[in-house]
Amino acid sequence: MTQAEKEQDNGKEKEKDRDKEKEKEQQRGVKRPIAPAAIPDPAQEQIQSNFIIVIHPGSRTLRIGRATDNLPVTVPHVIARRHKQAGQARYEDAWLLRDGLNKAESSEQRQNGLKMVEQAIWSKKMSNGVRRTPVSAEQARAYNCQIRPAVLDSSSRVKWTNTSHQPNYLVGEEALYVNPTDCYNIHWPMVRGQLNVHSGSGGSLTAVLATLETIWSYIIQKHLEIPLKELKYYRCILLVPDIYNRQHVKELVNMLLHNMGFSAIIVHQESVCATFGSGLSSACVVDVGDQKTSICCVEDGVSHRNSRLCLAYGGSDVTRTFLWLLQRAGFPYRDCQLTNRLDCQLLQHLKETFCHLDQDISGLQDHEFQTRFPEAPALLYQIRLGDEKLQAPMGLFYPSTFGIVGQKMTSLQYRSQGDSEDPHDEHYLLATQSKGDQSSKSAAERKAVSRPGGGMDGEMGCQGRMGEMSDMPRGCGSGSGNAAAGGLLGEMELGPAQGECLMGSGEAEEPLSTHLSRKTAIISQFESKALGLDKAILHSIDCCASDETKRKMYSSILVVGGGLMFHGAQEFLLHRIINKMPPSFRRLVDNVEVITRPKDMDPRLISWKGGAVLACLDTTQEMWIHQREWQRFGVRMLRERAAFVW
């Protein structure tokens, strides 16, 4: 054997030794750094958009489809599960009802909210310069109480879902029309944009995830006609709320990659996808859904974390309030019950048909509607309505009208509490900073906090503390003077960071525990208040870092979702924003624009459409999380690949 051959054999043996050492490390669980995935050569792997499925899960509606589809499949996000045992107690998740409605203060709060709505309606003049003449509920009630329905047909031609073959579950419209006497539980797996985890039947995290997997798998097979065994050839884009629950997102990604078998996934936020779908580079995105309203400022495809707000009310609260106003006006369909899901459907339809935000429409007007229920005749009702049609949607601007007491009404994006699977998160980065950096930062904070005035002068101390690593709205912009004057207990236009600044003057030496408890009290007080939609928009924009960014947001307020699809909503919201925006910005902003139907698209589909656009962008290649990477690295891949700060 020659010397060259010996060296060649030695080299091969060394390579084998290295391979064996790698295998031993993997067996011992040694974690190696995540190496950036190599972007495949287009010639080798060309991702086809028709093999990408975009999923936008809403509280009441699921939108799902291929990225190449013009429109997604839209179905009610509900399932009916057959009882496992005979005689099992029946359970049904509430639709329009919610916690906090039956408190002692609810009725008084609702009446006070209605008085504010009536005052606001009277104070705004019509386009002809004349003030509206208020119409009392008693004027309509005298007529409506005399109304009796006319029989259109002895049969409504609407039938209950056939369950004679005893299917284990039913999804969408079929679930809505399950006879209440059948042995089925009704579950809505999402509530207010989050997983519907509760203490009742089917409310565990495992059960909710199983419900979502069943619904999504059924829709993919039936409507998209894709066998589940072929999902290994497909990729998925999942839209999540701007203020997301990290544990829930992690579990959803695991379900899609591990359980359902998608080959790769991208997770992105609804607000950013809304800008993609509308073709805007920057916008203040106002997403008014069925159960929650989220507001976020997006600039060049990046969601400003400090500007995120989630309000715990939406279109279903308007629907419930509309029923209350209808009943005050002598609603002729007197058997209407909020516990009946078919009545809830009827009320949603009446709200969408009758309600508006056009103050030029005034006086009493006659309308009619039909009821078609299974095993009942089709009936025609006459009804006379006045201001009720305008008062109900104005509840979005005066949320006390909803009568919700003792509930968390405003949510903020909090810092991650940490995950055992992701040790090198932001907590790790903060903890490993040098002592010198930490001491200099503390000194700078003490200096900022101890300024005269308690820390309310524009950008003062909050900028240093509320950088990218912070999760709470800054609210310390130059437009915060009005909020400062009002104080935290006033109109609640004050952000938690401003509250943090309020605690600083003269109290830098107080114990840490006292400081944290005061901070927690101020934040909880902020979250317990329900901001009106217009005030929440102003608050979100005011949390942007620079005046230039604020100008961009005022000139592009994008309204998406189905909760504000009322006639006159665009002009109404624009008027309120202009009247309430800080005076300093009225001179600086050239024009304030509210966009409700970009490109004449259905605002309910814009976020989904943005997800489809995202699938076609070249820049998304580095955002894909592949199944094998998720199996190896888990939630760390979200921090590495997500397009937003995880």
Side-chain angles (χ1 to χ4, degrees):
M1 181 180 289
T2 63
Q3 183 67 25
E5 289 173 340
K6 286 182 180 180
E7 290 177 358
Q8 189 174 359
D9 288 341
N10 289 337
K12 290 180 179 178
E13 289 177 2
K14 289 179 180 179
E15 286 182 7
K16 289 180 181 178
D17 291 338
R18 281 196 296 269
D19 291 339
K20 288 180 181 178
E21 187 63 29
K22 286 182 181 178
E23 291 176 3
K24 289 180 181 178
E25 287 181 355
Q26 289 178 359
Q27 291 173 1
R28 293 197 304 266
V30 176
K31 296 181 180 178
R32 292 178 170 273
I34 299 177
I39 297 176
D41 189 292
Q44 295 177 356
E45 182 183 352
Q46 181 66 41
I47 299 175
Q48 297 178 338
S49 296
N50 61 325
F51 281 87
I52 298 176
I53 295 177
V54 182
I55 302 177
H56 184 196
S59 301
R60 281 293 167 262
T61 307
L62 169 67
R63 295 181 177 88
I64 183 171
R66 292 179 176 86
T68 52
D69 294 342
N70 288 328
L71 297 173
V73 174
T74 302
V75 295
H77 207 180
V78 63
I79 190 172
R81 286 195 180 275
R82 190 161 62 90
H83 292 173
K84 294 181 180 179
Q85 299 175 350
Q88 183 178 334
R90 187 173 168 276
Y91 177 85
E92 181 168 343
D93 284 334
W95 184 338
L96 294 180
L97 292 173
R98 58 181 293 173
D99 292 336
L101 295 175
N102 297 321
K103 304 288 185 181
E105 306 90 346
S106 295
S107 178
E108 182 182 355
Q109 181 170 300
R110 195 182 291 116
Q111 293 288 352
N112 291 337
L114 183 58
K115 288 179 182 178
M116 289 190 286
V117 167
E118 291 172 343
Q119 177 62 29
I121 292 174
W122 180 84
S123 62
K124 184 177 183 296
K125 295 180 180 179
M126 296 188 290
S127 58
N128 59 8
V130 178
R131 295 192 187 277
R132 284 173 55 99
T133 303
V135 179
S136 67
E138 285 71 21
Q139 292 176 263
R141 186 179 182 85
Y143 173 83
N144 292 331
C145 287
Q146 302 173 6
I147 295 297
R148 296 294 178 269
V151 178
L152 292 176
D153 195 332
S154 59
S155 172
S156 64
R157 298 176 186 173
V158 176
K159 296 182 179 180
W160 296 114
T161 300
N162 182 11
T163 58
S164 59
H165 56 299
Q166 295 186 337
N168 287 328
Y169 62 85
L170 296 159
V171 171
E173 289 286 345
E174 290 183 334
L176 288 180
Y177 282 90
V178 168
N179 193 322
T181 60
D182 289 345
C183 300
Y184 283 83
N185 290 339
I186 308 297
H187 299 290
W188 299 88
M190 301 198 73
V191 59
R192 279 176 274 289
Q194 307 292 341
L195 299 187
N196 187 13
V197 178
H198 55 84
S199 59
S201 174
S204 68
L205 179 59
T206 303
V208 172
L209 289 168
T211 295
L212 286 172
E213 183 180 347
T214 302
I215 295 174
W216 297 359
S217 299
Y218 176 84
I219 300 301
I220 288 172
Q221 287 184 98
K222 181 179 179 181
H223 294 277
L224 302 185
E225 299 179 347
I226 301 172
L228 294 183
K229 63 183 179 181
E230 293 185 8
L231 287 183
K232 60 186 177 182
Y233 304 116
Y234 285 79
R235 298 179 178 219
C236 171
I237 293 180
L238 176 66
L239 275 60
V240 298
D242 304 320
I243 296 180
Y244 50 88
N245 183 306
R246 291 175 177 84
Q247 177 67 18
H248 291 179
V249 174
K250 170 186 166 183
E251 296 293 346
L252 287 173
V253 171
N254 189 65
M255 181 195 77
L256 289 164
L257 291 178
H258 184 263
N259 297 7
M260 296 181 67
F262 282 98
S263 63
I265 190 172
I266 287 177
V267 178
H268 218 325
Q269 293 169 300
E270 293 171 336
S271 61
V272 178
C273 289
T275 60
F276 291 156
S278 58
L280 299 172
S281 60
S282 301
C284 176
V285 180
V286 183
D287 185 352
V288 186
D290 182 76
Q291 296 187 3
K292 57 99 177 165
T293 298
S294 59
I295 302 166
C296 178
C297 294
V298 179
E299 188 175 19
D300 298 326
V302 177
S303 160
H304 287 293
R305 185 154 50 165
N306 291 336
S307 68
R308 296 176 200 163
L309 280 176
C310 182
L311 310 173
Y313 59 78
S316 62
D317 296 285
V318 175
T319 305
R320 189 182 59 254
T321 301
F322 189 44
L323 173 61
W324 173 60
L325 293 170
L326 288 175
Q327 290 173 336
R328 289 175 76 246
F331 190 37
Y333 173 41
R334 294 173 183 86
D335 295 330
C336 188
Q337 298 291 332
L338 289 175
T339 53
N340 185 324
R341 57 180 177 276
L342 298 187
D343 285 347
C344 291
Q345 271 190 306
L346 171 66
L347 290 170
Q348 293 272 46
H349 172 71
L350 295 181
K351 177 195 71 175
E352 293 166 4
T353 305
F354 297 153
C355 288
H356 62 85
L357 282 168
D358 186 350
Q359 296 216 190
D360 285 350
I361 301 175
S362 61
L364 290 170
Q365 293 180 324
D366 291 339
H367 303 275
E368 62 182 30
F369 66 93
Q370 300 178 14
T371 60
R372 292 181 179 271
F373 300 130
E375 302 174 355
L379 302 177
L380 176 67
Y381 288 88
Q382 303 289 332
I383 186 170
R384 181 171 292 176
L385 294 174
D387 289 345
E388 294 82 10
K389 299 177 292 182
L390 175 60
Q391 291 167 344
M394 281 189 68
L396 293 169
F397 301 90
Y398 298 91
S400 56
T401 312
F402 299 144
I404 304 166
V405 176
Q407 299 296 305
K408 182 177 177 180
M409 296 302 293
T410 305
S411 297
L412 310 170
Q413 184 74 66
Y414 285 103
R415 179 173 293 166
S416 169
Q417 296 302 306
D419 193 305
S420 59
E421 294 182 18
D422 184 19
H424 300 101
D425 58 6
E426 59 184 3
H427 293 281
Y428 171 83
L429 296 175
L430 288 171
T432 53
Q433 285 179 343
S434 67
K435 292 184 178 180
D437 289 344
Q438 291 183 1
S439 60
S440 62
K441 181 181 177 182
S442 299
E445 286 183 355
R446 284 197 298 271
K447 183 178 179 181
V449 166
S450 60
R451 288 187 186 182
M456 295 306 297
D457 54 339
E459 300 284 341
M460 63 127 223
C462 293
Q463 283 282 38
R465 282 178 289 171
M466 307 301 288
E468 186 57 33
M469 298 303 293
S470 173
D471 291 293
M472 289 175 285
R474 179 165 40 242
C476 296
S478 57
S480 299
N482 293 340
L488 193 62
L489 299 176
E491 294 298 315
M492 290 311 299
E493 295 180 7
L494 193 60
Q498 290 172 310
E500 183 180 3
C501 292
L502 274 173
M503 296 182 296
S505 181
E507 299 182 14
E509 301 301 323
E510 70 178 357
L512 179 61
S513 59
T514 306
H515 176 81
L516 290 177
S517 63
R518 286 165 58 80
K519 177 180 175 182
T520 303
I522 287 179
I523 292 173
S524 62
Q525 193 174 31
F526 175 80
E527 291 183 332
S528 66
K529 299 292 182 181
L531 288 175
L533 184 59
D534 48 350
K535 292 181 181 179
I537 293 171
L538 293 169
H539 178 92
S540 178
I541 294 176
D542 193 42
C543 287
C544 294
S546 67
D547 287 353
E548 180 59 33
T549 302
K550 294 175 186 178
R551 273 195 290 269
K552 284 184 186 178
M553 299 304 141
Y554 278 119
S555 62
S556 184
I557 299 173
L558 174 64
V559 181
V560 298
L564 200 64
M565 292 178 62
F566 302 110
H567 174 68
Q570 182 178 12
E571 297 79 7
F572 187 89
L573 180 58
L574 178 63
H575 177 266
R576 292 187 69 90
I577 292 294
I578 291 175
N579 281 354
K580 293 198 173 186
M581 66 188 293
S584 57
F585 272 95
R586 290 181 194 171
R587 297 188 297 270
L588 296 175
V589 179
D590 296 330
N591 71 313
V592 178
E593 186 174 3
V594 173
I595 305 164
T596 54
R597 295 188 73 92
K599 303 178 181 177
D600 289 328
M601 290 174 58
D602 186 336
R604 295 170 293 189
L605 306 180
I606 289 175
S607 292
W608 181 91
K609 199 69 178 175
V613 170
L614 179 67
C616 305
L617 299 177
D618 294 334
T619 53
T620 61
Q621 300 305 314
E622 60 191 28
M623 295 163 57
W624 288 108
I625 299 173
H626 295 271
Q627 189 184 82
R628 62 185 181 276
E629 294 172 328
W630 182 260
Q631 290 171 349
R632 182 176 179 187
F633 301 110
V635 73
R636 284 181 287 170
M637 293 308 302
L638 281 168
R639 181 167 50 82
E640 294 284 338
R641 301 281 174 78
F644 49 93
V645 177
W646 179 256

